[in-house]
Amino acid sequence: MKQGTSLKGAARRLAGRHAQGDRSAIAKATVLLLAILGVVVFLYSMTTGASGASAWDVMTSLLSGGSLSDLDARDRIIVLDIRLPRAVLGVLIGAALAISGTVMQGLFRNPLADPGLIGVSSGAALGAVAMIIFESTLPAGVVAVIGAFALPLAAFVGALVSTLLLYRIATLNGQTSVATMLLAGIAIAALAIAITGILIYMADDKQLRDITFWNLGSLSGITWSKVLTAGPIIAVSLIVIPMLARGLNAITLGEATAYHMGVSVQRLKNVAIVAVAAAVGASVAVSGGIGFVGIIVPHMLRLVIGPDHRYLLPASALLGGILLLVADMIARAIVAPAELPIGIITALVGAPFFLWILLRGRAAHGL
Amino acid sequence: MSIRFEFRRSRSRATALAVFALAAPFVLPLAAGETIGPVAVAHAEEQQKIDTSRLVSIGGAVTEIVYALGEEGRLVARDSTSTFPEAAAALPDVGYMRALSPEGVIATNPTAILAVEGSGPPDALQVLKSAGIPFETVPEGYDRDAIVRKIETVGNFLGVSDKAKALADKVAAEIDAATADSAKREDKDRKRVLFVLSFQNGKVMAAGAHTAADGILKLSGVVNATEGAFQGYKPLSDEAIVEAKPDVIMLMTREGMHGGTDEELFAHPAFALTPAAKTKSVIRMNSLHLLGFGPRTATAIRDLNAAVYGKSGNVSQ
């Protein structure tokens, strides 16, 4: 597979590693800065919302070991049971989408790769749509067991099935061909979208509206039980993926070169694909379709800190989390007391920004 | 690209991760149990104890009923489908009934929530319930008894059962009076009406069975031209339109929005072949009024009847 033009330059720079000591200093500073910014944005998001609940009272009371029962019950519920789980999972989802985009772009050596491209998101969407339409036909016993998790669960299974299918197709004799995977991903995504189309045709108008809103994505209605469902899956992926940094750096030079440098390329691909499917599947399952975070964040960061995955991966996770929190704050504020689907915000802000990066790149590299 | 090694080892790891990922959604909720989040405040409090002085109303018909009961003084917010009466539109809007935001609703500081069946999303409702705000679901339905049930549910919740009984009786009597004439009509005289929810780029979404449109057509003594061949609103093929043989085409107007002209409609090859084309029979009605199934339904029936059967059978408006 041919290397992307901009990544080829990046790889060349990586090869002469000692020539870029200042770059890694910038990268380290950026990661630190993002971490601090993340904490600030997180705390700030706890204090904003349609209601004037005094988050500071709740937080200071908690931090000073005060008892919960002293607080206003409504404030407590808003801060601890509405805003806090939402912010926690929002950060995790933003981080998962962004870091997955970074891994995909590194692995495929293609600056356009994101989890949507290999069919993970379409598979998740198919699962969710199928559940919206067939939920009423499920046996009551099944519904009673899976309950409110039916939709996230279906989306998650959809993501995983499409990824495993993709992986089977692209893997021959224990080797995964990145080119086959990319093409198969496009085909699987198209297939998932087509089946989704059939299901949408079968849907009644109520289900159609549910599907529309699910597709737009939202962090609304996130509860602690959802945090406990999706959170650990995402968290494991967020821990595993940064461990792949050195391998991904080597892969920018080409898989054969990476292999001769002592990187277990096939293992790297296995772990990366499963981790991405888990992270994105769990995220899409909870939040619906939130676009553009996965593709924008890596590009933004490469402009600042360069292509070294050791810094790029943690920085992506942090920036992705921050961006999604900010987008969520906008979504909640703009039409309060109602709220906009967050997917609209990320696409509205993300798409023009992506165009800007593209135009810049065209000027710089003749893309 | 010829790299091959360590597949055995890596596959087992990948499988382990996949198995964990697959299993987690099943296992973790069980582990979490019901102890997460605030303990739900019992909804089974006696009705009279519920403070409904600050009420959020979700659903156009529900809001209309609150106004019809004269209890609008309690309303502090409504959803985006509650646009009638005009005074309701001036209240804060908490968003579309199927995409509510829990904090947005709580921000209006309600003491109680009345929501039509089908409001959501379920997670948002769960959060609202767990926030201890008394929550009542008003059953949805598309016939006379459903309207009575809606009014009684709202009235009982607001603690004005007597007023609700009176209103329900009045509305039921009005509907009975409105349907009395059409009930007497001979089957052969009943017109076939094709209810077109949307007509865009030549694509037609028509009403099948179990829709509000089907309900109002039945009450009005006309035949739904699609005859319940499918449920819900579905796109209709050109041949299906011809096959439905509608005597009248019914289009929806929303506030300020109008469909194409009659000429445009009958320029469509499928519509041109229907009986409706011969008599140029097209009806345009306000969808909120027609499909609301609230206190104004009797008027909607009369309007629809007059529009379809009119004077001397010439239904063209």
Side-chain angles (χ1 to χ4, degrees):
Chain A
M1 188 176 162
K2 267 283 190 191
Q3 293 177 8
T5 325
S6 60
L7 284 179
K8 192 187 265 176
R12 222 177 273 134
R13 260 173 286 150
L14 258 184
R17 193 168 289 162
H18 37 270
Q20 53 145 17
D22 54 332
R23 192 108 214 209
S24 79
I26 291 174
K28 277 179 194 156
T30 308
V31 173
L32 187 67
L33 207 68
L34 284 173
I36 296 167
L37 185 66
V39 174
V40 172
V41 171
F42 187 89
L43 291 178
Y44 185 68
S45 84
M46 297 290 294
T47 66
T48 60
S51 71
S54 52
W56 287 120
D57 287 359
V58 174
M59 281 191 274
T60 49
S61 164
L62 278 179
L63 290 173
S64 60
S67 112
L68 277 177
S69 49
D70 297 342
L71 294 160
D72 178 59
R74 188 150 289 185
D75 279 5
R76 198 178 70 218
I77 285 167
I78 286 176
V79 175
L80 296 182
D81 292 316
I82 294 180
R83 287 186 200 161
L84 187 58
R86 184 175 180 142
V88 168
L89 207 50
V91 166
L92 287 176
I93 289 170
L97 295 175
I99 207 171
S100 300
T102 310
V103 171
M104 290 284 115
Q105 291 175 14
L107 196 63
F108 291 117
R109 284 171 289 150
N110 184 326
L112 289 176
D114 81 335
L117 196 67
I118 59 162
V120 184
S121 313
S122 319
L126 173 57
V129 169
M131 183 52 80
I132 288 173
I133 289 168
F134 294 121
E135 194 169 17
S136 57
T137 63
L138 285 178
V142 177
V143 176
V145 172
I146 54 180
F149 299 102
L151 190 61
L153 205 61
F156 183 72
V157 171
L160 217 56
V161 167
S162 64
T163 310
L164 292 178
L165 183 66
L166 175 79
Y167 207 60
R168 281 301 289 266
I169 292 172
T171 305
L172 189 69
N173 299 329
Q175 299 168 41
T176 308
S177 156
V178 163
T180 312
M181 191 169 219
L182 209 59
L183 292 172
I186 292 169
I188 288 174
L191 191 64
I193 291 167
I195 300 173
T196 307
I198 294 174
L199 292 176
I200 286 175
Y201 183 82
M202 292 163 62
D204 64 32
D205 58 317
K206 260 189 217 149
Q207 292 165 338
L208 274 178
R209 278 176 280 188
D210 283 342
I211 292 167
T212 309
F213 276 102
W214 189 85
N215 264 334
L216 291 173
S218 175
L219 295 183
S220 183
I222 283 179
T223 51
W224 280 114
S225 48
K226 275 192 181 171
V227 176
L228 285 176
T229 317
I233 303 173
I234 298 174
V236 167
S237 297
L238 288 179
I239 293 165
V240 169
I241 289 174
M243 295 179 187
L244 309 175
R246 281 176 192 280
L248 286 170
N249 280 347
I251 267 190
T252 33
L253 302 167
E255 288 188 17
T257 316
Y259 170 62
H260 291 298
M261 284 167 72
V263 175
S264 344
V265 175
Q266 186 58 38
R267 193 179 111 206
L268 178 79
K269 284 191 264 188
N270 287 342
V271 175
I273 295 299
V274 175
V276 165
V280 174
S283 301
V284 173
V286 177
S287 63
I290 297 179
F292 269 102
V293 177
I295 201 156
I296 288 279
V297 169
H299 285 279
M300 283 170 85
L301 285 170
R302 268 194 221 101
L303 290 177
V304 182
I305 66 174
D308 188 344
H309 285 91
R310 285 175 303 167
Y311 307 111
L312 201 52
L313 290 172
S316 298
L318 288 168
L319 186 60
I322 292 169
L323 280 187
L324 206 62
L325 271 189
V326 172
D328 189 44
M329 279 191 268
I330 297 172
R332 288 187 289 154
I334 216 161
V335 291
E339 74 178 60
L340 278 180
I342 193 170
I344 294 177
I345 309 280
T346 56
L348 212 58
V349 178
F353 184 80
F354 191 65
L355 279 177
W356 176 73
I357 291 179
L358 207 63
L359 292 174
R360 248 183 76 116
R362 199 181 60 169
H365 311 292
L367 260 173
Chain B
M1 282 198 281
S2 56
I3 305 134
R4 79 179 57 151
F5 69 114
E6 286 197 326
F7 181 60
R8 285 266 152 233
R9 194 172 142 211
S10 55
R11 190 172 58 176
S12 66
R13 285 200 187 188
T15 313
L17 194 55
V19 166
F20 164 74
L22 252 184
F26 293 96
V27 178
L28 291 167
L30 299 179
E34 292 303 306
T35 56
I36 303 304
V39 180
V41 171
H43 173 59
E45 287 171 292
E46 286 88 62
Q47 295 288 350
Q48 55 267 33
K49 279 192 191 160
I50 292 175
D51 173 11
T52 51
S53 60
R54 292 184 60 83
L55 186 70
V56 174
S57 166
I58 311 293
V62 174
T63 308
E64 267 189 51
I65 291 168
V66 173
Y67 273 88
L69 289 169
E71 299 294 330
E72 66 269 22
R74 310 186 192 197
L75 287 176
V76 292
R78 47 102 199 179
D79 77 317
S80 63
T81 66
S82 301
T83 53
F84 185 90
E86 263 175 55
L91 289 167
D93 179 357
V94 295
Y96 181 53
M97 55 174 276
R98 301 183 72 75
L100 300 169
S101 140
E103 185 172 348
V105 175
I106 293 177
T108 62
N109 202 19
T111 57
I113 300 166
L114 254 178
V116 73
E117 185 185 342
S119 302
D123 303 315
L125 301 190
Q126 199 51 49
V127 173
L128 288 173
K129 285 173 191 167
S130 66
I133 304 170
F135 185 99
E136 181 77 2
T137 303
V138 180
E140 182 59 284
Y142 308 122
D143 56 30
R144 167 191 180 277
D145 293 346
I147 297 172
V148 168
R149 215 160 48 232
K150 282 183 195 172
I151 294 171
E152 282 172 350
T153 308
V154 173
N156 289 342
F157 187 68
L158 297 182
V160 290
S161 307
D162 294 347
K163 261 205 264 184
K165 181 89 180 62
L167 178 66
D169 287 348
K170 176 171 153 267
V171 169
E174 282 171 5
I175 293 174
D176 289 342
T179 53
D181 292 340
S182 57
K184 274 181 275 175
R185 195 171 290 123
E186 301 251 352
D187 278 355
K188 63 177 173 57
D189 296 333
R190 290 177 193 262
K191 299 215 175 196
R192 299 170 66 84
V193 174
L194 184 69
F195 183 98
V196 177
L197 185 69
S198 71
F199 177 51
Q200 277 169 338
N201 306 324
K203 286 197 191 100
V204 172
M205 285 278 276
H210 300 293
T211 58
D214 191 62
I216 198 76
L217 291 178
K218 275 195 185 121
L219 282 176
S220 307
V222 298
V223 178
N224 184 349
T226 62
E227 302 209 42
F230 54 88
Q231 300 201 347
Y233 298 93
K234 283 275 148 66
L236 229 52
S237 73
D238 291 356
E239 289 185 25
I241 294 170
V242 178
E243 197 58 30
K245 298 189 196 69
D247 300 307
V248 179
I249 312 290
M250 186 161 183
L251 297 169
M252 292 295 92
T253 61
R254 294 182 174 86
E255 270 103 44
M257 239 177 72
H258 296 280
T261 62
D262 293 6
E263 285 71 31
E264 281 167 19
L265 183 71
F266 291 119
H268 188 284
F271 284 118
L273 292 173
T274 59
K278 295 192 185 75
T279 50
K280 293 273 180 280
S281 302
V282 184
I283 295 173
R284 289 187 174 76
M285 289 185 79
N286 181 296
S287 61
L288 293 171
H289 179 201
L290 199 69
L291 307 179
F293 281 84
R296 292 185 295 155
T297 298
T299 330
I301 295 170
R302 286 183 195 282
D303 290 353
L304 180 55
N305 252 304
V308 173
Y309 297 107
K311 324 112 205 163
S312 72
N314 183 357
V315 293
S316 176
Q317 275 198 321

